[in-house]
């Protein structure tokens, strides 16, 4: 896959592109290296021209590879990027001006930093595949080349049919409801399922008391300890399955249809489990005074003029919001399924679990927090296992 200075040093084949929904490169198109603001010679930015029209863009370095599709017009010997509307003005063609334009169709991105590859459809803002959940580390370009070869070799006619359905799907807007069951992909051909327990954004919008430190539009969701090749498991079956500890997830994946909603049932008390947020206020309005807060689902407590317990000022806020439908990788999920418990989850995420008051490693701290806030553990809508 190495190339001369007339094309990127690393480049996919059209056969590989076909297996991933990427637009093929016509032999008549010409690769041109773009002027870049980065002075590192290992970082390359390439545009692929069909006449004066840019069809492809590749960003390459030994630690990064990205390929996407464009249909952008240029002028003056391909030095100017023309506007898309009559109101716009031409701009000098650089990697920055081109990457600021929205690309089309599928985008492939590999990053050494996260050791993973992702295939994402730009038109629908949906991810087709991410190797991150599989814990399949792709740390070098050689690893990426091996992954590409394996992906192409393992592609079946059924995979191509499913890929075509994905590429032709329309962009969606889904109204999220508490009690929704949703499906997500684990790898290429397997699925997991989750459930929406609380729409935190709606709770805040309705004026219900809450500790308002969560960014974006967060949902409280749980993921079931379950992996299957069945994309249509009945919700009556799903609700009986054990689940991992709940967490905060942005509503983007469900709202845009990336994680399809497969049904809805009213939530029952025994199905609830919420993260416990505890700590001191971080509001600028409270600067100079003590204020301790606890949020667990709709349960909200505030202690005025009381400091958080010593040493626990920030580590139990537990206010991170993820974009992913699962907060662990597939091997850990499989270990929890095999063990019939969340023990592997708490053990393999121990550094993070030590900041979660639901963790078995934090029973003493949870008891102290409950005592300070005037609560019993039984009053908390959580599952302690």
């Amino acid at each position: 896959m190495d190339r001369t200075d007339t094309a990127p040093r690393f480049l996919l084949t059209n056969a590989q592109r076909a297996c991933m929904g990427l637009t093929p490169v016509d032999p008549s198109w010409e690769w041109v290296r773009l002027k870049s603001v980065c002075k590192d010679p290992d970082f390359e930015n390439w545009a692929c021209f069909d006449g004066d029209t840019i069809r492809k863009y590749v960003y390459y370095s030994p630690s990064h590879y990205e390929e996407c599709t464009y249909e952008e017009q240029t002028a003056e010997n391909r030095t100017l990027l023309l506007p898309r509307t009559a109101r716009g003005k031409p701009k000098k063609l650089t990697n920055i001006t081109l990457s600021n334009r929205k690309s089309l169709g599928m985008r492939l991105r590999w990053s050494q930093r996260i050791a993973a590859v992702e295939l994402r459809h730009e038109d629908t803002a949906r991810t087709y595949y991410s190797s991150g959940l599989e814990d399949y580390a792709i740390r070098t370009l050689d690893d990426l080349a091996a992954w590409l070869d394996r992906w192409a070799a393992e592609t079946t006619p059924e995979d191509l049919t499913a890929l075509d359905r994905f590429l032709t799907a329309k962009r969606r807007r889904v109204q999220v409801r508490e009690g929704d069951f949703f499906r997500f992909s684990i790898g290429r051909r397997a699925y997991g399922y989750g459930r929406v327990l609380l729409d935190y954004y709606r709770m805040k919008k309705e004026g219900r008391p809450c500790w308002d430190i969560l960014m974006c539009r967060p949902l409280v969701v749980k993921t079931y300890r379950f992996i299957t090749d069945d994309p249509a498991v009945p919700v009556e079956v799903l609700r009986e399955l054990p689940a991992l500890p709940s967490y905060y997830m942005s509503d983007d994946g469900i709202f845009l249809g990336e994680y399809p909603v497969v049904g809805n049932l009213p939530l029952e008390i025994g199905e609830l489990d919420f993260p416990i947020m505890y700590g001191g206020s971080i509001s600028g309005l409270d600067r100079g005074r003590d204020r301790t807060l606890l949020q667990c689902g709709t349960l909200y407590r505030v202690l005025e003029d009381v400091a958080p317990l010593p040493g626990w000022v920030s580590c139990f806020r537990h206010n991170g919001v993820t974009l992913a439908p699962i907060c662990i990788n597939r091997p850990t999920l499989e270990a929890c399924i095999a063990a019939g418990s969340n023990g592997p989850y708490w053990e393999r995420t121990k550094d993070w679990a030590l900041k979660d008051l639901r963790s078995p490693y934090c029973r003493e701290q949870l008891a102290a927090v409950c005592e300070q806030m005037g609560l019993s553990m039984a009053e908390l809508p959580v599952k302690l296992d």
Side-chain angles (χ1 to χ4, degrees):
M1 292 187 180
D2 289 336
R3 297 291 189 272
T4 67
D5 58 0
T6 61
R9 284 180 278 175
F10 187 97
L11 202 56
L12 275 62
T13 67
N14 279 342
Q16 291 169 336
R17 293 187 179 99
C19 298
M20 295 182 287
L22 290 160
T23 302
V25 174
D26 190 277
S28 65
W29 296 353
E30 180 184 0
W31 288 100
V32 176
R33 188 168 179 176
L34 300 180
K35 182 178 180 180
S36 173
V37 296
C38 180
K39 299 185 182 300
D40 189 333
D42 286 334
F43 286 77
E44 302 178 5
N45 296 272
W46 293 81
C48 195
F49 283 87
D50 173 14
D52 289 331
T53 303
I54 298 175
R55 300 293 187 184
K56 280 280 184 180
Y57 171 68
V58 164
Y59 169 69
Y60 161 86
S61 81
S63 61
H64 191 96
Y65 181 84
E66 195 160 342
E67 178 176 320
C68 54
T69 299
Y70 283 97
E71 191 171 336
E72 296 291 342
Q73 305 300 319
T74 66
E76 295 191 17
N77 197 27
R78 301 173 176 172
T79 61
L80 290 181
L81 185 63
L82 296 180
R84 287 183 170 178
T85 67
R87 298 179 60 184
K89 295 181 179 180
K91 294 183 178 180
K92 188 174 182 179
L93 176 59
T94 67
N95 66 310
I96 299 299
T97 56
L98 179 58
S99 60
N100 283 339
R101 298 285 178 91
K102 181 175 173 56
S103 62
L104 308 172
M106 197 78 90
R107 176 188 291 261
L108 170 70
R109 180 177 183 268
W110 166 73
S111 171
Q112 189 178 68
R113 182 180 61 82
I114 60 175
V117 66
E118 180 183 78
L119 283 164
R120 183 170 177 83
H121 197 260
E122 298 292 275
D123 300 332
T124 57
R126 294 172 58 197
T127 299
Y128 178 68
Y129 172 83
S130 173
S131 65
L133 275 182
E134 294 187 282
D135 199 33
Y136 179 76
I138 305 173
R139 297 188 174 88
T140 66
L141 283 172
D142 287 341
D143 291 342
L144 177 59
W147 178 86
L148 290 166
D149 288 341
R150 192 176 77 248
W151 179 278
E154 294 177 352
T155 297
T156 66
E158 291 76 19
D159 291 329
L160 294 177
T161 299
L163 176 60
D164 184 64
R165 286 198 302 268
F166 180 88
L167 293 173
T168 55
K170 301 297 183 183
R171 188 167 182 140
R172 300 180 62 192
R173 295 288 188 273
V174 178
Q175 185 65 44
V176 183
R177 296 185 298 158
E178 294 170 0
D180 280 345
F181 294 84
F182 60 92
R183 184 185 70 236
F184 58 92
S185 296
I186 301 179
R188 196 174 185 182
R189 303 181 185 92
Y191 303 101
Y193 289 85
R195 186 120 188 247
V196 178
L197 302 179
L198 179 66
D199 186 338
Y200 201 91
Y201 177 81
R202 191 180 73 177
M203 181 178 73
K204 181 177 68 173
K205 191 174 180 180
E206 291 174 351
R208 288 184 279 170
C210 65
W211 192 3
D212 185 14
I213 58 173
L214 297 172
M215 303 299 289
C216 69
R217 298 184 62 153
L219 306 170
V220 179
V221 302
K222 66 179 180 180
T223 298
Y224 291 104
R225 296 200 311 249
F226 183 58
I227 299 175
T228 180
D229 60 1
D230 185 354
V233 178
V235 294
E236 292 80 9
V237 173
L238 293 173
R239 81 178 311 169
E240 300 301 323
L241 296 172
L244 295 169
S246 63
Y247 55 97
Y248 295 112
M249 183 184 81
S250 168
D251 75 339
D252 286 355
I254 299 178
F255 177 68
L256 296 174
E258 182 170 349
Y259 314 137
V261 172
V262 297
N264 182 286
L265 289 173
L267 286 161
E268 298 179 358
I269 295 297
E271 297 176 291
L272 300 181
D273 172 49
F274 299 107
I276 303 172
M277 299 164 58
Y278 167 82
S281 172
I282 59 174
S283 170
L285 299 175
D286 293 326
R287 189 171 299 156
R289 72 184 182 114
D290 289 324
R291 197 164 185 255
T292 298
L293 302 97
L294 180 142
Q295 181 88 43
C296 183
T298 58
L299 177 65
Y300 179 62
R301 293 285 188 276
V302 181
L303 297 179
E304 303 289 354
D305 301 318
V306 176
L309 296 170
W312 301 344
V313 174
S314 64
C315 65
F316 289 125
R317 282 202 189 104
H318 201 62
N319 60 317
V321 180
T322 180
L323 296 174
I326 185 172
C327 53
I328 57 174
N329 55 38
R330 180 170 181 166
T332 303
L333 176 57
E334 290 174 335
C336 290
I337 294 170
S341 77
N342 289 334
Y345 167 86
W346 294 119
E347 185 62 34
R348 296 189 186 189
T349 60
K350 194 167 183 179
D351 289 344
W352 180 81
L354 289 172
K355 300 178 182 180
D356 189 331
L357 281 168
R358 297 170 298 176
S359 165
Y361 302 111
C362 298
R363 288 293 183 269
E364 180 182 346
Q365 293 93 326
L366 178 59
V369 166
C370 286
E371 181 178 358
Q372 184 193 42
M373 304 302 294
L375 296 166
S376 68
M377 289 190 192
E379 291 179 84
L380 296 173
V382 298
K383 292 187 180 297
L384 302 176
D385 57 4

